[in-house]
Amino acid sequence: MMHNQAVLNRIWCQALLEELTRFGVEHICVAPGSRSTPLTLEADANDKLTLHTHFDERGLGFLALGMAKASQKPVAVVVTSGTAVANLLPAIAEAKLTGEKLVVLTADRPVELVGCGANQAIVQQGIYSSHVCAELALPSPSEQVPLRWLLTSIDEVMHKQAREGSAVHINCAFPEPLYSDQPKSIYQAYLDTIAKWQQSGVCYTEQRFSVVNPAFDVLKWQGRQGLIIVGSVSKHQAELAKQLADKLAWPVLCDPQSGVSSEWAYYDTWLQTEAGKQLINQTDLVLQIGSRIVSKRFNQWLAQTDVDYHYVSDSLARNNQDHLMQVHHAGDITEWLEQAISAPFQPSENWARGGKSLSEVVLTSIAKQFQQVTQTNGQKVPLTELMLATSLVNHANDVNVFLGNSLFVRMVDMFGQVDSEVYSNRGASGIDGLVATAAGTVRVTDKPSVLYIGDTSLLYDLNSLALFTLQTTPCVIVVTNNDGGAIFDLLPVPQAQKQSLYQMPHGYQFAAAAQQFKLEYYLSTTFEEYQMTLEQHLTHGQGCLLIEVQTPPEQASQQIKAVIQNLHASL
């Protein structure tokens, strides 16, 4: 039999992708490229995989991240060799910190073409360093390497991902030729070595883990002056955390990423007052559900206080930025909460009802700021970022929200409430890839969704608007355009260089970008028009609408300071 490298390449890819489906991979994201042909064609041929494409590898990685975030399952990514591989690093770095499972399949030149001047050949092994939980460098496909070895090697990295989360990197060295019309049956004897596995429908090797939560007795917490803070979890898990808080008669603080709110709303704002500090200083136990708390004020308080600190997460990864004494309850968050709620609690009084009155004072301070804007501008009230931040609670329950990493997420944390499933990229908290990640969540959930994003962030990921061009589910991208990085108004950057080196005003608007990617566009100027346009599209529209909200560069920071001043005056 004549040797046919292209067919061998396809056989290896067929086995690889089939095994990935048995580990739960249902979606695969593919960028164009020639060296990745064996992976791409086999992905297209596998009816267990739904194939997604994007011409921009950086955006492709974030698309996969969003899909993994929403599905809670591993998602595969295929790119060709060279800088295409490097472009996936930002999404992989985010997944390392937030736990989404990406299976990164990078096509490579065979080893003899690396480091010798061959075209499009870079050193790809180890390129993602510690940002992946496991790496597998495959040799060039050959009959001398058993397919059984291929499967056990794949299983080793996939089982590690199942235990630890985040991304795995499988580097695939494909020699040419890459294209052939010959059938795989020319290597039938080679294929027959894994015939039992092909017919079985299960993973080649199995590992079974019995994860037991660390022993705990929440009844011992009854009567303590504890509080629960809920971080980046599903809305269902956040609701369970609120049920536990009710059982314990403890206050609960809800990060905007949790998708819910509580009586202790706006805590990042009232923690800036003496009354707020005096109240929370009575706490002697903190139970944190999930990771990535947005509030700087809460994190600062936790770092400086002396409390028993318990943390519940489905990840074994350390989440303790101030290196406090901590009890880490590692296990399924939903099961942990359900087990805790089922304990036979005795009725008791909430020790810290004063937080509700503080939240009401913040709400009054926000209302005063709105009244000032109304009195200044008359009947038609111009739309501000502060108004946007307070409006998220108005969404219908079936609308998902994606919060970007601009000043806006800080404003929602300080002044907003939410009642939606919320997604975010608050691991590395980069401004790259936010549009693509949101697109991934929409493709998996197929629910009406709103992405709130800053102008600089949208400019960074403009290519990924293409991912919404053919989207039929009603989506809205709300871009708050304050002409640069308004977050720096709240940071002690040098005033002389603040604009030129930090804010970097650009002077761009987004109507033409919407037109370029065939999206509907609306420039919103008043709150009433904005609210009507948004809800009408989410309820009756189709596809993606880009709403631009243009505000003066320093307006948001000035309004934040004004609300804080009103709050101090009221207290």
Side-chain angles (χ1 to χ4, degrees):
M1 181 189 68
M2 182 183 295
H3 174 74
N4 190 314
Q5 186 63 53
V7 173
L8 277 173
N9 291 344
R10 291 283 298 270
I11 287 172
W12 274 46
C13 291
Q14 179 185 31
L16 166 58
L17 293 174
E18 176 59 32
E19 186 70 339
L20 292 185
T21 66
R22 300 182 186 188
F23 276 91
V25 175
E26 298 173 353
H27 297 276
I28 187 163
C29 301
V30 177
S34 180
R35 188 63 56 165
S36 52
T37 287
L39 287 164
T40 299
L41 294 182
E42 286 302 321
D44 190 48
N46 191 316
D47 58 10
K48 298 177 186 176
L49 292 170
T50 301
L51 197 147
H52 307 263
T53 62
H54 191 27
F55 52 79
D56 178 336
E57 286 91 358
R58 183 176 57 80
L60 186 82
F62 280 106
L63 174 69
L65 180 79
M67 300 180 78
K69 194 182 293 286
S71 67
Q72 296 294 296
K73 293 180 179 179
V75 174
V77 186
V78 172
V79 296
T80 192
S81 64
T83 57
V85 178
N87 280 315
L88 295 177
L89 180 56
I92 292 168
E94 177 70 20
K96 178 67 174 180
L97 297 176
T98 50
E100 286 82 18
K101 296 173 182 176
L102 302 181
V103 184
V104 180
L105 306 172
T106 57
D108 200 357
R109 262 56 178 169
V111 64
E112 65 270 18
L113 293 182
V114 178
C116 61
N119 184 50
Q120 204 174 320
I122 68 172
V123 177
Q124 296 179 189
Q125 294 183 34
I127 192 170
Y128 302 127
S129 183
S130 60
H131 299 291
V132 292
C133 73
E135 181 181 21
L136 172 62
L138 294 179
S140 296
S142 165
E143 284 185 278
Q144 279 64 56
V145 181
L147 287 170
R148 296 189 297 269
W149 173 89
L150 174 65
L151 291 171
T152 58
S153 300
I154 295 165
D155 288 4
E156 183 179 15
V157 297
M158 293 303 294
H159 283 309
K160 189 170 185 184
Q161 182 182 65
R163 296 193 303 270
E164 300 180 14
S166 77
V168 296
H169 178 205
I170 302 177
N171 195 59
C172 309
F174 297 129
E176 294 183 3
L178 301 170
Y179 308 92
S180 173
D181 294 327
Q182 291 294 307
K184 292 178 184 141
S185 57
I186 63 175
Y187 286 102
Q188 192 60 49
Y190 188 53
L191 285 166
D192 287 345
T193 61
I194 55 170
K196 182 179 179 181
W197 162 79
Q198 287 175 321
Q199 295 163 10
S200 71
V202 298
C203 298
Y204 192 75
T205 62
E206 293 187 72
Q207 289 183 1
R208 298 180 182 180
F209 301 95
S210 178
V211 179
V212 180
N213 293 326
F216 75 100
D217 184 357
V218 292
L219 292 177
K220 293 179 181 177
W221 296 348
Q222 195 163 259
R224 298 282 299 272
Q225 294 191 173
L227 67 80
I228 295 176
I229 183 158
V230 189
S232 180
V233 296
S234 70
K235 189 180 179 187
H236 173 65
Q237 291 168 337
E239 296 287 4
L240 289 174
K242 291 179 70 174
Q243 289 182 39
L244 179 58
D246 288 341
K247 290 262 191 174
L248 285 163
W250 288 357
V252 57
L253 284 65
C254 299
D255 187 278
Q257 297 168 96
S258 70
V260 300
S261 298
S262 74
E263 289 185 346
W264 271 37
Y266 321 121
Y267 58 89
D268 187 73
T269 301
W270 56 252
L271 277 174
Q272 299 178 54
T273 68
E274 280 305 313
K277 292 173 185 174
Q278 288 175 14
L279 176 65
I280 202 169
N281 282 341
Q282 299 174 52
T283 306
D284 63 14
L285 188 151
V286 170
L287 173 61
Q288 180 178 332
I289 311 294
S291 62
R292 303 293 163 187
I293 305 301
V294 171
S295 172
K296 284 189 175 182
R297 254 65 62 173
F298 178 83
N299 286 324
Q300 289 166 352
W301 170 79
L302 184 61
Q304 296 163 4
T305 193
D306 181 19
V307 295
D308 291 343
Y309 179 31
H310 292 254
Y311 171 58
V312 182
S313 172
D314 52 13
S315 170
L316 292 171
R318 175 172 53 172
N319 188 80
N320 189 357
Q321 64 185 22
D322 295 297
H323 310 291
L324 306 173
M325 289 187 66
Q326 181 194 72
V327 179
H328 183 171
H329 303 275
D332 184 275
I333 293 175
T334 301
E335 291 180 4
W336 194 98
L337 287 168
E338 288 174 345
Q339 182 181 351
I341 291 167
S342 67
F345 295 99
Q346 296 298 318
S348 58
E349 287 292 319
N350 191 317
W351 65 269
R353 293 200 176 277
K356 181 178 180 181
S357 62
L358 287 171
S359 297
E360 290 170 349
V361 176
V362 175
L363 194 57
T364 301
S365 300
I366 296 170
K368 285 182 180 178
Q369 181 60 31
F370 287 171
Q371 289 170 4
Q372 184 178 340
V373 173
T374 303
Q375 291 167 359
T376 304
N377 296 276
Q379 292 277 330
K380 289 197 173 182
V381 182
L383 181 56
T384 68
E385 290 186 63
L386 179 60
M387 291 176 181
L388 278 179
T390 62
S391 71
L392 270 64
V393 74
N394 299 334
H395 293 312
N397 286 332
D398 63 342
V399 172
N400 291 340
V401 168
F402 195 105
L403 291 174
N405 292 326
S406 61
L407 175 62
F408 188 75
V409 69
R410 296 285 180 190
M411 297 184 74
V412 173
D413 189 41
M414 295 176 73
F415 309 122
Q417 296 192 51
V418 290
D419 186 20
S420 303
E421 196 74 56
V422 175
Y423 299 102
S424 65
N425 281 353
R426 295 295 297 176
S429 294
I431 65 168
D432 50 344
L434 295 170
V435 175
T437 311
T441 65
V442 173
R443 292 192 182 195
V444 167
T445 64
D446 197 28
K447 285 187 174 182
S449 302
V450 185
L451 164 63
Y452 293 92
I453 189 169
D455 50 329
T456 305
S457 300
L458 182 52
L459 287 171
Y460 206 136
D461 201 25
L462 210 58
N463 274 352
S464 293
L465 289 176
L467 296 170
F468 284 96
T469 299
L470 300 178
Q471 183 66 53
T472 56
T473 305
C475 307
V476 180
I477 298 173
V478 180
V479 54
T480 52
N481 188 353
N482 47 40
D483 196 23
I487 187 70
F488 295 106
D489 285 329
L490 302 181
L491 300 174
V493 300
Q495 287 299 305
Q497 292 93 5
K498 183 177 77 168
Q499 193 174 78
S500 60
L501 299 183
Y502 293 92
Q503 290 177 326
M504 297 188 186
H506 48 75
Y508 299 130
Q509 298 175 2
F510 293 95
Q515 183 181 21
Q516 167 71 18
F517 292 100
K518 298 180 174 60
L519 309 182
E520 293 184 50
Y521 174 83
Y522 181 75
L523 176 62
S524 190
T525 56
T526 70
F527 182 74
E528 292 79 7
E529 292 172 352
Y530 160 77
Q531 194 73 23
M532 182 179 67
T533 303
L534 176 76
E535 296 305 327
Q536 187 174 13
H537 185 79
L538 292 172
T539 306
H540 304 293
Q542 189 177 42
C544 185
L545 167 66
L546 177 62
I547 296 180
E548 182 170 0
V549 181
Q550 297 174 2
T551 60
E554 297 186 353
Q555 183 188 71
S557 61
Q558 290 169 353
Q559 291 190 329
I560 291 171
K561 292 170 185 175
V563 173
I564 301 297
Q565 288 172 358
N566 289 336
L567 180 61
H568 283 296
S570 300
L571 293 173

